[in-house]
Short mmCIF file of all heavy atoms in Angstrom, two decimals:
data_model
loop_
_atom_site.label_atom_id
_atom_site.label_comp_id
_atom_site.label_asym_id
_atom_site.label_seq_id
_atom_site.Cartn_x
_atom_site.Cartn_y
_atom_site.Cartn_z
N LYS T 17 -16.20 -21.93 1.89
CA LYS T 17 -15.68 -22.14 0.52
C LYS T 17 -14.36 -21.47 0.29
O LYS T 17 -13.90 -20.63 1.15
CB LYS T 17 -16.60 -21.55 -0.51
CG LYS T 17 -18.06 -22.18 -0.47
CD LYS T 17 -18.00 -23.63 -0.98
CE LYS T 17 -19.49 -24.13 -1.00
NZ LYS T 17 -19.43 -25.62 -1.32
N THR T 18 -13.74 -21.75 -0.79
CA THR T 18 -12.42 -21.14 -1.17
C THR T 18 -12.67 -19.90 -1.99
O THR T 18 -13.42 -19.94 -3.01
CB THR T 18 -11.48 -22.04 -1.96
OG1 THR T 18 -11.13 -23.18 -1.03
CG2 THR T 18 -10.24 -21.31 -2.37
N ALA T 19 -12.18 -18.70 -1.62
CA ALA T 19 -12.23 -17.51 -2.36
C ALA T 19 -11.02 -17.42 -3.19
O ALA T 19 -9.80 -17.63 -2.71
CB ALA T 19 -12.29 -16.28 -1.41
N THR T 20 -11.11 -17.06 -4.49
CA THR T 20 -10.05 -16.86 -5.32
C THR T 20 -10.13 -15.48 -5.99
O THR T 20 -11.08 -15.14 -6.68
CB THR T 20 -9.97 -17.91 -6.45
OG1 THR T 20 -9.86 -19.23 -5.92
CG2 THR T 20 -8.78 -17.73 -7.45
N LEU T 21 -9.05 -14.69 -5.77
CA LEU T 21 -9.01 -13.34 -6.30
C LEU T 21 -7.92 -13.22 -7.33
O LEU T 21 -6.86 -13.91 -7.14
CB LEU T 21 -8.77 -12.40 -5.21
CG LEU T 21 -9.94 -12.05 -4.24
CD1 LEU T 21 -10.18 -13.20 -3.27
CD2 LEU T 21 -9.76 -10.76 -3.51
N THR T 22 -8.12 -12.44 -8.30
CA THR T 22 -7.16 -12.31 -9.46
C THR T 22 -6.49 -10.95 -9.49
O THR T 22 -7.20 -9.89 -9.26
CB THR T 22 -7.93 -12.59 -10.71
OG1 THR T 22 -8.66 -13.83 -10.66
CG2 THR T 22 -6.98 -12.68 -11.97
N CYS T 23 -5.26 -10.96 -9.85
CA CYS T 23 -4.52 -9.72 -10.14
C CYS T 23 -3.71 -9.93 -11.47
O CYS T 23 -2.95 -10.82 -11.59
CB CYS T 23 -3.55 -9.49 -8.97
SG CYS T 23 -2.50 -8.00 -9.20
N ASN T 24 -4.12 -9.12 -12.45
CA ASN T 24 -3.45 -9.17 -13.75
C ASN T 24 -2.63 -7.88 -13.96
O ASN T 24 -3.06 -6.77 -13.43
CB ASN T 24 -4.44 -9.25 -14.94
CG ASN T 24 -5.16 -10.52 -14.81
OD1 ASN T 24 -4.62 -11.63 -14.94
ND2 ASN T 24 -6.52 -10.47 -14.73
N TYR T 25 -1.47 -7.99 -14.58
CA TYR T 25 -0.71 -6.76 -14.87
C TYR T 25 -0.24 -6.75 -16.27
O TYR T 25 -0.10 -7.69 -16.95
CB TYR T 25 0.47 -6.67 -13.85
CG TYR T 25 1.41 -7.94 -13.89
CD1 TYR T 25 2.51 -7.91 -14.67
CD2 TYR T 25 1.20 -9.04 -13.16
CE1 TYR T 25 3.34 -9.03 -14.77
CE2 TYR T 25 2.04 -10.11 -13.15
CZ TYR T 25 3.12 -10.12 -13.97
OH TYR T 25 3.94 -11.19 -14.00
N THR T 26 0.14 -5.57 -16.68
CA THR T 26 0.62 -5.35 -18.06
C THR T 26 2.05 -4.73 -18.00
O THR T 26 2.46 -4.33 -16.96
CB THR T 26 -0.32 -4.53 -18.90
OG1 THR T 26 -0.44 -3.28 -18.27
CG2 THR T 26 -1.66 -5.16 -19.00
N ASN T 27 2.63 -4.53 -19.17
CA ASN T 27 3.93 -3.99 -19.30
C ASN T 27 5.02 -4.73 -18.56
O ASN T 27 5.15 -5.90 -18.71
CB ASN T 27 3.85 -2.53 -18.88
CG ASN T 27 2.83 -1.70 -19.71
OD1 ASN T 27 2.51 -2.11 -20.82
ND2 ASN T 27 2.44 -0.55 -19.14
N TYR T 28 5.69 -4.16 -17.69
CA TYR T 28 6.94 -4.74 -17.12
C TYR T 28 6.58 -5.90 -16.21
O TYR T 28 5.55 -5.87 -15.54
CB TYR T 28 7.73 -3.70 -16.43
CG TYR T 28 8.05 -2.50 -17.32
CD1 TYR T 28 7.42 -1.33 -17.14
CD2 TYR T 28 9.09 -2.63 -18.33
CE1 TYR T 28 7.72 -0.27 -18.05
CE2 TYR T 28 9.38 -1.57 -19.08
CZ TYR T 28 8.74 -0.37 -18.98
OH TYR T 28 9.06 0.63 -19.82
N SER T 29 7.47 -6.84 -16.12
CA SER T 29 7.25 -7.90 -15.17
C SER T 29 7.79 -7.46 -13.74
O SER T 29 8.95 -6.96 -13.66
CB SER T 29 8.00 -9.18 -15.63
OG SER T 29 7.44 -9.73 -16.71
N PRO T 30 6.98 -7.61 -12.73
CA PRO T 30 7.36 -7.22 -11.45
C PRO T 30 8.38 -8.23 -10.91
O PRO T 30 8.39 -9.42 -11.14
CB PRO T 30 6.05 -7.20 -10.63
CG PRO T 30 5.25 -8.26 -11.34
CD PRO T 30 5.61 -8.13 -12.77
N ALA T 31 9.24 -7.70 -10.03
CA ALA T 31 10.16 -8.57 -9.29
C ALA T 31 9.43 -9.16 -8.02
O ALA T 31 9.77 -10.27 -7.65
CB ALA T 31 11.32 -7.72 -8.80
N TYR T 32 8.61 -8.34 -7.41
CA TYR T 32 7.87 -8.74 -6.24
C TYR T 32 6.39 -8.51 -6.51
O TYR T 32 5.99 -7.46 -7.03
CB TYR T 32 8.29 -7.98 -5.02
CG TYR T 32 9.61 -8.36 -4.43
CD1 TYR T 32 10.32 -7.42 -3.69
CD2 TYR T 32 10.25 -9.47 -4.64
CE1 TYR T 32 11.47 -7.65 -3.09
CE2 TYR T 32 11.44 -9.82 -4.11
CZ TYR T 32 12.12 -8.87 -3.36
OH TYR T 32 13.33 -9.11 -2.84
N LEU T 33 5.62 -9.28 -5.92
CA LEU T 33 4.15 -8.99 -5.90
C LEU T 33 3.69 -9.27 -4.48
O LEU T 33 4.03 -10.33 -3.87
CB LEU T 33 3.41 -9.93 -6.94
CG LEU T 33 2.00 -9.49 -7.23
CD1 LEU T 33 1.77 -9.83 -8.70
CD2 LEU T 33 1.02 -10.19 -6.37
N GLN T 34 2.89 -8.38 -3.94
CA GLN T 34 2.38 -8.53 -2.59
C GLN T 34 0.84 -8.53 -2.57
O GLN T 34 0.23 -7.90 -3.48
CB GLN T 34 2.83 -7.35 -1.75
CG GLN T 34 4.28 -7.19 -1.63
CD GLN T 34 4.79 -6.03 -0.70
OE1 GLN T 34 3.97 -5.23 -0.34
NE2 GLN T 34 6.07 -6.01 -0.42
N TRP T 35 0.30 -9.09 -1.55
CA TRP T 35 -1.10 -8.97 -1.27
C TRP T 35 -1.39 -8.36 0.06
O TRP T 35 -0.72 -8.68 1.09
CB TRP T 35 -1.83 -10.37 -1.47
CG TRP T 35 -2.01 -10.81 -2.81
CD1 TRP T 35 -1.03 -11.44 -3.54
CD2 TRP T 35 -3.10 -10.61 -3.63
NE1 TRP T 35 -1.61 -11.73 -4.82
CE2 TRP T 35 -2.80 -11.21 -4.90
CE3 TRP T 35 -4.34 -9.97 -3.51
CZ2 TRP T 35 -3.72 -11.15 -5.99
CZ3 TRP T 35 -5.25 -9.98 -4.48
CH2 TRP T 35 -4.93 -10.55 -5.69
N TYR T 36 -2.37 -7.43 0.10
CA TYR T 36 -2.74 -6.79 1.30
C TYR T 36 -4.25 -6.91 1.52
O TYR T 36 -5.00 -7.03 0.55
CB TYR T 36 -2.46 -5.25 1.24
CG TYR T 36 -0.96 -4.97 1.25
CD1 TYR T 36 -0.16 -5.06 0.11
CD2 TYR T 36 -0.40 -4.49 2.48
CE1 TYR T 36 1.22 -4.68 0.20
CE2 TYR T 36 0.97 -4.23 2.51
CZ TYR T 36 1.74 -4.29 1.39
OH TYR T 36 3.13 -3.98 1.43
N ARG T 37 -4.57 -6.71 2.81
CA ARG T 37 -6.01 -6.67 3.06
C ARG T 37 -6.24 -5.24 3.58
O ARG T 37 -5.52 -4.68 4.36
CB ARG T 37 -6.31 -7.64 4.28
CG ARG T 37 -7.68 -7.45 4.95
CD ARG T 37 -7.88 -8.34 6.17
NE ARG T 37 -9.11 -7.92 6.75
CZ ARG T 37 -10.01 -8.82 7.24
NH1 ARG T 37 -9.78 -10.18 7.08
NH2 ARG T 37 -11.11 -8.46 7.79
N GLN T 38 -7.39 -4.67 3.21
CA GLN T 38 -7.78 -3.35 3.65
C GLN T 38 -9.27 -3.31 4.09
O GLN T 38 -10.15 -3.73 3.38
CB GLN T 38 -7.58 -2.27 2.58
CG GLN T 38 -7.77 -0.82 3.13
CD GLN T 38 -7.46 0.23 2.12
OE1 GLN T 38 -7.61 0.03 0.90
NE2 GLN T 38 -7.01 1.41 2.61
N ASP T 39 -9.38 -2.88 5.33
CA ASP T 39 -10.78 -2.69 5.90
C ASP T 39 -11.20 -1.21 5.74
O ASP T 39 -10.28 -0.42 5.74
CB ASP T 39 -10.77 -3.16 7.33
CG ASP T 39 -10.60 -4.72 7.44
OD1 ASP T 39 -11.62 -5.35 7.18
OD2 ASP T 39 -9.47 -5.16 7.81
N PRO T 40 -12.47 -0.93 5.74
CA PRO T 40 -12.85 0.44 5.52
C PRO T 40 -12.24 1.47 6.53
O PRO T 40 -12.22 1.22 7.74
CB PRO T 40 -14.38 0.40 5.67
CG PRO T 40 -14.76 -1.01 5.32
CD PRO T 40 -13.57 -1.87 5.85
N GLY T 41 -11.58 2.55 6.01
CA GLY T 41 -11.06 3.53 6.85
C GLY T 41 -9.78 3.17 7.50
O GLY T 41 -9.30 3.90 8.39
N ARG T 42 -9.17 2.07 7.14
CA ARG T 42 -7.91 1.62 7.71
C ARG T 42 -6.85 1.49 6.66
O ARG T 42 -7.06 1.48 5.48
CB ARG T 42 -8.21 0.17 8.35
CG ARG T 42 -9.33 0.11 9.24
CD ARG T 42 -9.16 0.82 10.54
NE ARG T 42 -8.06 0.26 11.37
CZ ARG T 42 -7.51 0.66 12.40
NH1 ARG T 42 -8.03 1.82 12.97
NH2 ARG T 42 -6.56 0.10 13.12
N GLY T 43 -5.60 1.38 7.17
CA GLY T 43 -4.42 1.15 6.27
C GLY T 43 -4.35 -0.30 5.83
O GLY T 43 -4.93 -1.17 6.42
N PRO T 44 -3.78 -0.53 4.72
CA PRO T 44 -3.62 -1.93 4.22
C PRO T 44 -2.71 -2.72 5.16
O PRO T 44 -1.87 -2.19 5.82
CB PRO T 44 -2.85 -1.77 2.86
CG PRO T 44 -3.20 -0.27 2.49
CD PRO T 44 -3.30 0.49 3.74
N VAL T 45 -3.09 -4.04 5.25
CA VAL T 45 -2.29 -4.96 6.13
C VAL T 45 -1.62 -5.91 5.27
O VAL T 45 -2.35 -6.59 4.51
CB VAL T 45 -3.24 -5.58 7.17
CG1 VAL T 45 -2.51 -6.58 8.00
CG2 VAL T 45 -3.82 -4.61 8.08
N PHE T 46 -0.35 -6.09 5.35
CA PHE T 46 0.45 -6.94 4.59
C PHE T 46 0.08 -8.44 4.87
O PHE T 46 -0.06 -8.86 6.09
CB PHE T 46 1.94 -6.80 4.86
CG PHE T 46 2.86 -7.76 4.13
CD1 PHE T 46 2.99 -7.78 2.80
CD2 PHE T 46 3.51 -8.74 5.00
CE1 PHE T 46 3.82 -8.70 2.19
CE2 PHE T 46 4.32 -9.62 4.34
CZ PHE T 46 4.49 -9.62 3.00
N LEU T 47 -0.19 -9.22 3.79
CA LEU T 47 -0.45 -10.68 3.98
C LEU T 47 0.72 -11.56 3.46
O LEU T 47 1.18 -12.32 4.26
CB LEU T 47 -1.71 -10.92 3.20
CG LEU T 47 -3.02 -10.21 3.71
CD1 LEU T 47 -4.23 -10.51 2.76
CD2 LEU T 47 -3.36 -10.62 5.15
N LEU T 48 0.98 -11.41 2.13
CA LEU T 48 2.01 -12.30 1.61
C LEU T 48 2.74 -11.60 0.48
O LEU T 48 2.28 -10.68 -0.17
CB LEU T 48 1.27 -13.54 0.91
CG LEU T 48 0.83 -14.71 1.77
CD1 LEU T 48 -0.03 -15.60 1.00
CD2 LEU T 48 1.95 -15.38 2.32
#
Side-chain angles (χ1 to χ4, degrees):
Chain T
K17 301 292 186 187
T18 296
T20 299
L21 288 76
T22 305
C23 176
N24 295 300
Y25 58 90
T26 59
N27 299 339
Y28 306 103
S29 288
Y32 288 157
L33 195 145
Q34 301 181 348
W35 283 87
Y36 287 82
R37 169 188 172 133
Q38 187 175 29
D39 292 284
R42 308 288 295 175
V45 174
F46 172 71
L47 298 173
L48 279 170

